[in-house]
Amino acid sequence: MSKILIIDDEKELVMLLEDELKAKGHEVLAAYDGQEGIELAKKQPDLIILDIMMPRINGFEVCRAIRDDVLCPIIFLSAKQSETDKIKGLTLGGDDYIVKPFGLKELMAKIDANLRREKRSQYINAENKRAVLYFGKLNLNINERTAKINDESIVLTKREYDIVELLALHAGQVFSREHIFEKIWGYDSEGDSATVVEHIKKIRAKFAAVTPSVEYISTVWGIGYKWNRI
């Protein structure tokens, strides 16, 4: 059973989703405006369904306010369907974006998929002090903070390794450049996301020097980067 927080001012929609999720055995928290959603997010839900156009505080601002403290998946559910809005939602830390009106089965499938991915990530993080992650011929020793391809050590700086570990532990998940910068350098650090771009270039060059045909890190245009499941 998972704890799911719904933040949406459409009460009928919230009731529909609440009934469906409870029938699947989930615990459901409901907020009908952004401010209430921020408060309920402190209860550390396992997943958040977040509308954008709401009274008091919109969904984008809610995501911005809670993202540093809430690590669970966030699915935007909104009538705003422009590409700009989708990119903004994902850049702020959303994990998925579904446009209203939507198919209930599709939403439930995406909820299940995000919960499964989160559980895998939690398992990896719980074991990471003794884990070795394998991606084709590349292996990352989390405890030793080393990377090897075909038993050849890849010399990475501290920041480069931190980026590799962050992405690899969440393989398949898209991280914005801003999100990576905040995670690795810290929210109050000087600099900007351009630093991330330069570090990614150097990481790719080091990997390509050993396995030029394999792409471990993909660019998701307009959003950021993701680690490929190889």
Side-chain angles (χ1 to χ4, degrees), residues 12 16 36 41 48 52-53 66 78 84 86 91 96 125 144 166 176 209:
E12 291 185 1
L16 171 66
E36 186 182 7
I48 297 173
I52 293 176
M53 294 182 289
I66 68 176
S78 176
T84 300
K86 293 177 183 178
T91 300
D96 215 329
N125 281 312
E144 297 179 359
L166 172 66
S176 70

Side-chain angles (χ1 to χ4, degrees), residues 163-175:
I163 292 172
V164 167
E165 183 178 296
L166 172 66
L167 296 178
L169 283 172
H170 301 84
Q173 182 175 341
V174 180
F175 285 82

Side-chain angles (χ1 to χ4, degrees), residues 175-193:
F175 285 82
S176 70
R177 292 180 292 274
E178 292 77 12
H179 193 185
I180 294 171
F181 183 82
E182 290 175 8
K183 285 285 187 182
I184 303 304
W185 277 267
Y187 189 81
D188 297 324
S189 297
E190 294 183 2
D192 56 36
S193 61

Side-chain angles (χ1 to χ4, degrees), residues 55-96:
R56 300 177 73 184
I57 302 176
N58 68 47
F60 289 144
E61 293 304 317
V62 171
C63 187
R64 194 194 309 274
I66 68 176
R67 203 19 143 179
D68 286 342
D69 300 315
V70 176
L71 300 178
C72 73
I74 296 176
I75 299 177
F76 278 102
L77 192 63
S78 176
K80 295 171 75 68
Q81 52 187 302
S82 72
E83 183 178 21
T84 300
D85 288 319
K86 293 177 183 178
I87 290 173
K88 183 175 181 179
L90 295 171
T91 300
L92 286 171
D95 296 273
D96 215 329

Side-chain angles (χ1 to χ4, degrees), residues 44 134 136 193 197 205:
Q44 295 298 318
Y134 295 91
S193 61
V197 177

Side-chain angles (χ1 to χ4, degrees), residues 17 47 91 113 134 138:
L17 297 179
L47 182 141
T91 300
Y134 295 91
L138 167 67

Side-chain angles (χ1 to χ4, degrees), residues 5-220:
L5 170 60
I6 305 170
I7 309 174
D8 197 307
D9 63 332
E10 294 184 48
K11 293 190 176 181
E12 291 185 1
L13 174 59
V14 172
M15 291 175 62
L16 171 66
L17 297 179
E18 189 172 8
D19 289 344
E20 187 72 18
L21 290 167
K22 284 184 175 179
K24 291 179 174 290
H26 298 301
E27 177 186 351
V28 179
L29 304 174
Y32 298 101
D33 63 57
Q35 185 60 52
E36 186 182 7
I38 291 173
E39 292 302 314
L40 285 180
K42 296 176 182 177
K43 295 183 179 292
Q44 295 298 318
D46 298 300
L47 182 141
I48 297 173
I49 299 171
L50 178 59
D51 186 24
I52 293 176
M53 294 182 289
M54 293 184 294
R56 300 177 73 184
I57 302 176
N58 68 47
F60 289 144
E61 293 304 317
V62 171
C63 187
R64 194 194 309 274
I66 68 176
R67 203 19 143 179
D68 286 342
D69 300 315
V70 176
L71 300 178
C72 73
I74 296 176
I75 299 177
F76 278 102
L77 192 63
S78 176
K80 295 171 75 68
Q81 52 187 302
S82 72
E83 183 178 21
T84 300
D85 288 319
K86 293 177 183 178
I87 290 173
K88 183 175 181 179
L90 295 171
T91 300
L92 286 171
D95 296 273
D96 215 329
Y97 194 109
I98 299 177
V99 176
K100 297 178 182 179
F102 58 90
L104 186 58
K105 289 183 179 179
E106 177 191 4
L107 175 59
M108 292 299 139
K110 286 183 176 289
I111 289 171
D112 289 342
N114 276 277
L115 288 172
R116 284 195 303 271
R117 185 175 68 190
E118 185 65 12
K119 286 178 180 178
R120 286 196 297 269
S121 295
Q122 289 173 355
Y123 174 79
I124 290 172
N125 281 312
E127 297 292 321
N128 67 7
K129 290 303 179 184
R130 54 191 176 88
V132 178
L133 306 183
Y134 295 91
F135 300 94
K137 296 179 180 180
L138 167 67
N139 68 73
L140 299 175
N141 188 310
I142 304 299
N143 188 40
E144 297 179 359
R145 291 176 59 84
T146 59
K148 292 183 179 180
I149 298 177
N150 292 328
D151 292 327
E152 180 177 341
S153 294
I154 309 300
V155 180
L156 300 170
T157 67
K158 180 185 182 301
R159 297 295 193 195
E160 289 168 356
Y161 178 84
D162 287 343
I163 292 172
V164 167
E165 183 178 296
L166 172 66
L167 296 178
L169 283 172
H170 301 84
Q173 182 175 341
V174 180
F175 285 82
S176 70
R177 292 180 292 274
E178 292 77 12
H179 193 185
I180 294 171
F181 183 82
E182 290 175 8
K183 285 285 187 182
I184 303 304
W185 277 267
Y187 189 81
D188 297 324
S189 297
E190 294 183 2
D192 56 36
S193 61
T195 303
V196 174
V197 177
E198 292 305 312
H199 278 70
I200 294 286
K201 285 180 181 179
K202 292 176 181 177
I203 293 167
R204 283 172 164 164
K206 291 179 179 182
F207 287 162
V210 182
T211 53
S213 61
V214 181
E215 184 180 57
Y216 295 101
I217 301 174
S218 289
T219 298
V220 181

